[in-house]
Amino acid sequence: MPVYNHAKQVYADWGVDTEAAIQRALALPISIHCWQSDDVNGFETHDGTTDSGGIMATGNYPGRSRNGDELRQDYDRVLSLVPGEHRANLHAIYAETGGKPVGRDELELEHFARWIDWAASKKIKLDFNPTYFAHPLAASGYTLSHADPVIQSFWIRHGIVCRTIASGMAQALGGECVINHWIPDGGKDATADRWSPRKRLVEAYDELLNESLVGCTDAVESKLFGLGSEDYVVGSFEFYLSYALSRKVVLCLDMGHFHPTESIADKLSSIMQYQDRLLMHTSRPMRWDSDHVVVYSDDLRAVFTELQRGDALDRAIVALDFFDASINRIGAYVVGIRATRKAILNALLDPTLTLQKLELEGKNAQKLGLMEELKTLPFGAVWDELCSRANVPVGKAWISEMECYEKEVLSSRT
Ligand SMILES: [Mn+2]
């Protein structure tokens, strides 16, 4: 392609190999969350509560998936529109129990048999998440840190069965299954005891993570605040940073779980001095943890550029976490996944050594100048080439495919 050949030459003049960048960008797995397809509803028969533990998908655009078959149908279409290596990320509430109510603390691998069969047929791996929210026993706002040992132990048992399921998924599909633990626990206002819940949370995790399971990679995810936990979140950043370091589990950073002006990118070179791996949830907060669809923003580029500059891309586990119920959900997926892959490619095209050398030599105007020029290099041509090689639509061509799918499939879901 002449446009790509020109771009390849332009980057070569900067000392950047576009061929190597395309190959590496395609190979880095992105774990696609299942919950954008159905607005975090899940397949359980709820007994009364729709409380979702401080997260909320707003909007009522038609066409959300209503069962496993529809969700997998959505996955299939999405996977045909996005380039590169992918994984599928499930929550426990996406168990398929054949209509039989099964307690969260009684879930078994067999309830995910259809997911495993599907993943095997697609040659993709599964990741997993316990669902510590949207449940009557989470209605108080506390789960693993609950003061009532009966409720706390229910959630510990849920964590344990989920780890067993994750290990089973890993063994069935090969490789590892990353299981991410996020809890909504916290207080709305003027919390008088911020100590006891955190002490109980340490004890709960120590119990549920006690056993080492084949293929099960545990991660823990912090948060700043949630709906109903504005004043106090038990699992804060400091809590989990310390927990992950002392217990040797993976830390998860969600781009929506920090102060709006806080740079997640700047944390990476600190945390990764001590942590081998890091789970990144790409999300887009708008004024708060709003979980907007990820776009190709400065924040997203900064995260992946920072990982590349530290030669740490291979130590990052990349997963998506957003949900917008107000737009076509296939479109939401494709925009977020392609934006994340673009940011990975952009990072791999960074002339890191050149920039770092100028900085070391004190040539900071030259460095700033190059960084500005970098912004208008023909990145789009390299991105199009990546899509073309992955046999997915180039440029905006995916939009008409989304529209076809809406007409043929989504419009009949009423
Ligand atoms: Mn997250």
Side-chain angles (χ1 to χ4, degrees), residues 221 254 257 281 321:
E221 180 180 6
D254 183 304
H257 289 188
H281 273 185
D321 191 4

Side-chain angles (χ1 to χ4, degrees), residues 26-281:
L26 283 170
L28 192 73
I30 295 176
S31 194
I32 304 174
H33 58 315
C34 72
W35 47 98
Q36 165 66 74
S37 170
D38 82 326
D39 316 333
V40 210
N41 273 275
F43 307 146
E44 281 181 324
T45 320
H46 288 288
D47 42 355
T49 179
T50 53
D51 170 74
S52 57
I55 54 174
M56 186 189 280
T58 54
N60 53 2
Y61 196 85
R64 77 170 186 86
S65 62
R66 299 161 298 181
N67 54 54
D69 290 331
E70 289 182 352
L71 210 166
R72 285 183 288 270
Q73 189 182 23
D74 285 357
Y75 256 121
D76 289 346
R77 182 51 59 106
V78 167
L79 286 168
S80 74
L81 301 174
V82 293
E85 205 48 42
H86 297 100
R87 303 168 64 92
N89 197 6
L90 305 180
H91 245 282
I93 51 172
Y94 294 85
E96 289 168 285
T97 62
K100 188 174 66 132
V102 175
R104 296 246 182 114
D105 57 342
E106 293 168 341
L107 287 169
E108 293 180 36
L109 185 62
E110 65 177 91
H111 301 129
F112 295 88
R114 299 190 64 203
W115 281 110
I116 291 169
D117 289 346
W118 169 80
S121 77
K122 293 276 152 191
K123 295 190 169 52
I124 61 176
K125 311 265 194 271
L126 296 175
D127 294 316
F128 200 51
N129 303 261
T131 311
Y132 300 106
F133 53 85
H135 189 278
L137 292 182
S140 68
Y142 289 84
T143 63
L144 287 176
S145 71
H146 206 289
D148 180 344
V150 173
I151 296 175
Q152 186 193 34
S153 65
F154 171 83
W155 290 111
I156 291 173
R157 288 197 304 279
H158 176 58
I160 289 171
V161 299
C162 284
R163 293 187 71 233
T164 306
I165 292 165
S167 176
M169 287 174 169
Q171 289 175 72
L173 297 165
E176 66 176 345
C177 173
V178 178
I179 175 170
N180 181 53
H181 301 265
W182 174 78
I183 58 165
D185 299 31
K188 186 182 176 72
D189 199 9
T191 308
D193 183 3
R194 309 172 88 90
W195 291 73
S196 304
R198 286 183 171 141
K199 183 167 184 288
R200 287 191 293 267
L201 187 56
V202 172
E203 291 161 357
Y205 275 125
D206 281 352
E207 185 176 341
L208 81 90
L209 298 173
N210 179 43
E211 198 184 344
S212 166
L213 299 174
V214 179
C216 175
T217 302
D218 292 282
V220 288
E221 180 180 6
S222 68
K223 192 156 170 162
L224 178 65
F225 80 100
L227 292 175
S229 63
E230 290 86 351
D231 176 61
Y232 169 64
V233 166
V234 185
S236 61
F237 176 62
E238 294 80 1
F239 179 91
Y240 280 124
L241 178 64
S242 310
Y243 191 86
L245 277 172
S246 60
R247 298 329 195 249
K248 299 195 179 356
V249 294
V250 175
L251 182 70
C252 171
L253 296 187
D254 183 304
M255 292 179 69
H257 289 188
F258 294 87
H259 290 279
T261 56
E262 202 171 353
S263 167
I264 286 86
D266 181 51
K267 299 180 188 303
L268 304 173
S269 53
S270 295
I271 294 168
M272 294 180 90
Q273 301 291 336
Y274 303 96
Q275 294 278 69
D276 283 341
R277 302 175 78 195
L278 187 80
L279 173 57
M280 273 304 314
H281 273 185

